[in-house]
Amino acid sequence: MKMTKIYEGSHQWIMFGRDPNKPANIIDSNQYVVRTTNRCLLMDPGGTELFAPMMAAVLHHAPVEQITDLFASHQDPDVISSLGLWDQALTNAKLHAPAIWEGFLRHYGCESIEYVPIPDHGGSIKLDSLELQLIPAHYLHSSGNFHVYDPQAKILMSGDVGAALEAPDAPVFVDNFDAHIDKMRYFHQRWMPSNQAKRAWIERVRKLDIEILAPQHGRMFKGDDVKRFLDWFDALQVGIAV
Amino acid sequence: MNNQTKSQFVAVASITSELSAVMVVAKEISLAAANAKAIAFRAGDKAKGFQPITDFINELAKETIELVTDINVYALLLYRLTVNEYRRTSAYNRFEAAAKLAENAAYGASMQGPVDVAKGRMQDCQRQFKRDVTHLLSQLEAVMHHARAARVIAANSRIEASQAGEYLQSLQAVAESVDKAAHTIHDNVQRCRVALSIYRSN
Ligand SMILES: [Fe+2]
Ligand SMILES: [Fe+2]
C-alpha cells in the first residue's frame, strides 16, 4: 500500500492507495487518514479485501487503540464493507456515516463501534483540537452522501466526486488536467444521477478554500486543477443512463 | 470461504430441510392414527387389540412433532453460531495478515491485542459449536428412537389387523403407512446425524 503525506501541520493527512496486492477485479480506492496527537480518523476505509493492508499501513502512523474514528461518505462496498472487521479490531471507535444508511450499514456488522448518524444538513467531526466539517453531497452519487472538509489543511475529501478509473500505478496527483478528463468523464456521467444535485454541490464547494480535492478513486487535484475540475464538472451532463 | 466452512454451512442448513420433511411425515402418522381410531371404533370387538395401539401411535406422532419443533429452534441457533464462527475466523485470519504485514511498522506490535482477542473469540465459537452439535445429535437420537418404536408398533398392528375380519385391509393399510412414515423419519434423521457427526466433540 502506497502512503503519501498530503498535509503536515499541527495534524497530518495521509493518503493510502495503489495497493499492489489488491485482487485485479476489484476497483482501486484511495483511503485517507487524519492523524492528530492522540487520535486517528480513517475516511472511506475500504472494502473487506483491503482491511489487512490498510490496517498494516495505518500502523505506521498510529497504534490500534488510537484509531478512534471512521468515516463513510456513503454506503458502497468499496467504501466500507470492511466495517465488520474494524468493528472487531477497534475497542473504542465511532463510525460517522449518513443517518439514512444506518440500518443498511449495520448489515456489515457494527456491534462495538458506535454509529454516529450524520443528519442530512451535515455536521462535524472533532479530533483533539481539530474540527472537520461534513459537507452534504447527496445524490453524488449516493442519496445520502457527505464529504469531509478541513479548513486548516484546505483539503476536501470528496468521495466518488472527482473519481477516475486509473492504472494501478498511476501518480497520486493530476499532472495534466486535459489528459485526465477522459479517465473521469464516463464515471461522472454514469454514476452521478442528478444535474440538480451537482449544481447545488458545486455552489456550496466553490465557497470553500480548497488546496487539494481528494477523491476516493484515481488522482487528487491540487491548486488550480481544483477550480478546473469544478468548471468541468459544472458543464458536464450527468445521469446519462436514462 | 474454505471447504470445511462451506460443508459446515451445508450440514447445518440441511438439518432444517431434512427436519421439515420429518415434520410432514409425523403429521401423516398422526392422521393415520386418527383414521385407524375411527376404523377400530367401527370394528368394535373385532379390533379390540387395535384400539390402544392407535392411541399409542398418536402419542408418538405428537411427541415427534414436539421434538422436531424444538430441534428446529436449536438448528437455527446452530446456524447463527456457524455464521458467527465464520465471521470470527475470517476476522482472526485477516488480523493475523495485518499483523504480519505490519511487522516493520512503528506501531505494528499494537495489533497483537486484537489478534489475541480474535483468536479467543474464534475458539470460543468453535467449542460452543461442538457442544451444541453434540446436544443436537442426542435430540436427533431421540427422534430416531421414536421412529424405531413406531416401526415396532406397526408390526404389532399388522398382527392385530389380521384378527379384524372385514376390517383387515383398512387396518393393514394403517399399519403400512405408519411403517413407511417411520422408515422415512429414520432415514432423514440418520442423514442429519451423519452430516453433523464429524463436528461433534469427543
Ligand atoms: Fe460509491
Ligand atoms: Fe467509490
Side-chain angles (χ1 to χ4, degrees):
Chain A
M1 183 86 68
K2 194 169 167 176
M3 303 183 235
T4 312
K5 206 166 273 185
I6 57 174
Y7 176 77
E8 172 99 70
S10 59
H11 64 284
Q12 301 165 351
W13 273 74
I14 307 127
M15 179 248 207
F16 299 83
R18 313 289 192 266
D19 180 20
N21 301 316
K22 160 189 92 58
N25 52 2
I26 63 175
I27 189 170
D28 188 38
S29 56
N30 305 329
Q31 292 69 239
Y32 297 93
V33 166
V34 168
R35 173 77 168 125
T36 59
T37 317
N38 298 307
R39 292 173 66 169
C40 195
L41 163 72
L42 275 50
M43 281 167 275
D44 287 1
T48 309
E49 286 300 326
L50 224 68
F51 171 83
M54 182 58 192
M55 172 64 103
V58 175
L59 293 175
H60 284 273
H61 304 273
V64 149
E65 61 275 12
Q66 287 189 10
I67 305 172
T68 52
D69 295 79
L70 304 179
F71 163 79
S73 61
H74 60 293
Q75 84 295 1
D76 267 347
D78 63 324
V79 168
I80 187 70
S81 63
S82 56
L83 178 60
L85 293 164
W86 295 106
D87 187 59
Q88 294 182 63
L90 309 180
T91 45
N92 175 34
K94 292 182 168 81
L95 169 68
H96 307 265
I100 67 162
W101 291 124
E102 178 168 355
F104 298 72
L105 281 173
R106 284 187 181 278
H107 276 276
Y108 288 132
C110 183
E111 280 157 29
S112 77
I113 289 182
E114 180 193 347
Y115 193 109
V116 183
I118 310 168
D120 278 352
H121 60 82
S124 65
I125 298 175
K126 292 185 187 72
L127 294 172
D128 292 321
S129 59
L130 179 68
E131 182 161 343
L132 301 167
Q133 299 169 11
L134 299 169
I135 310 290
H138 304 309
Y139 304 104
L140 293 174
H141 63 90
S142 165
S143 40
N145 210 131
F146 293 93
H147 296 162
V148 179
Y149 179 60
D150 180 345
Q152 202 174 316
K154 298 180 184 166
I155 297 173
L156 179 70
M157 187 280 180
S158 60
D160 281 331
V161 175
L165 305 173
E166 282 272 13
D169 52 352
V172 296
F173 280 106
V174 171
D175 44 18
N176 179 342
F177 187 82
D178 291 331
H180 193 62
I181 289 175
D182 270 351
K183 293 174 192 152
M184 57 180 183
R185 186 187 296 109
Y186 179 72
F187 185 90
H188 288 79
Q189 286 179 325
R190 183 64 185 83
W191 265 271
M192 303 296 158
S194 160
N195 288 305
Q196 192 190 336
K198 181 183 66 125
R199 264 194 306 278
W201 179 83
I202 290 173
E203 203 175 306
R204 181 175 282 139
V205 166
R206 279 201 198 278
K207 291 180 192 145
L208 305 174
D209 183 5
I210 301 170
E211 182 51 34
I212 293 174
L213 184 92
Q216 194 220 350
H217 310 281
R219 306 185 196 194
M220 294 176 282
F221 302 82
K222 201 174 191 172
D224 291 341
D225 281 337
V226 176
K227 189 181 174 308
R228 279 189 199 105
F229 172 76
L230 294 177
D231 291 344
W232 170 82
F233 192 33
D234 205 0
L236 189 75
Q237 283 293 311
V238 301
I240 57 161
V242 285
Chain B
M1 199 182 278
N2 63 25
N3 283 338
Q4 149 94 33
T5 320
K6 253 185 220 163
S7 51
Q8 188 171 321
F9 269 106
V10 171
V12 173
S14 72
I15 301 169
T16 320
S17 86
E18 296 284 3
L19 290 184
S20 71
V22 168
M23 202 66 148
V24 171
V25 174
K27 282 176 185 160
E28 274 170 26
I29 296 186
S30 145
L31 213 74
N35 203 13
K37 200 171 177 132
I39 299 169
F41 183 74
R42 261 182 282 143
D45 275 356
K46 287 179 195 158
K48 220 175 181 158
F50 209 88
Q51 274 172 5
I53 291 178
T54 61
D55 289 336
F56 202 68
I57 295 173
N58 190 33
E59 200 57 30
L60 210 59
K62 239 174 66 190
E63 280 173 15
T64 304
I65 291 169
E66 276 167 19
L67 253 172
V68 170
T69 308
D70 273 4
I71 295 175
N72 263 329
V73 172
Y74 211 78
L76 190 69
L77 289 178
L78 201 66
Y79 181 74
R80 293 212 182 109
L81 196 63
T82 305
V83 173
N84 236 338
E85 189 192 324
Y86 166 66
R87 281 195 179 145
R88 288 174 176 189
T89 304
S90 89
Y92 169 67
N93 291 336
R94 287 178 195 271
F95 289 8
E96 274 230 310
K100 198 150 189 230
L101 283 171
E103 250 164 21
N104 301 318
Y107 303 98
S110 71
M111 197 57 207
Q112 199 51 49
V115 168
D116 292 343
V117 170
K119 189 174 187 177
R121 283 182 185 154
M122 176 184 75
Q123 288 169 338
D124 283 350
C125 247
Q126 287 164 347
R127 274 192 291 269
Q128 182 68 37
F129 185 81
K130 283 195 166 158
R131 270 199 298 273
D132 285 5
V133 163
T134 307
H135 179 72
L136 194 68
L137 281 168
S138 73
Q139 281 181 307
L140 289 170
E141 174 58 41
V143 176
M144 298 269 283
H145 190 77
H146 278 66
R148 278 195 289 268
R151 296 199 72 186
V152 173
I153 293 167
N156 285 340
S157 308
R158 260 196 222 101
I159 298 164
E160 290 295 336
S162 64
Q163 331 260 312
E166 71 264 41
Y167 296 100
L168 177 123
Q169 273 196 337
S170 37
L171 287 177
Q172 243 172 11
V174 168
E176 206 65 37
S177 74
V178 170
D179 190 53
K180 221 179 109 203
H183 199 85
T184 307
I185 292 178
H186 191 277
D187 283 0
N188 284 28
V189 173
Q190 182 60 15
R191 276 201 295 274
C192 288
R193 294 177 68 215
V194 170
L196 284 179
S197 58
I198 54 167
Y199 303 108
R200 79 184 320 157
S201 53
N202 306 312

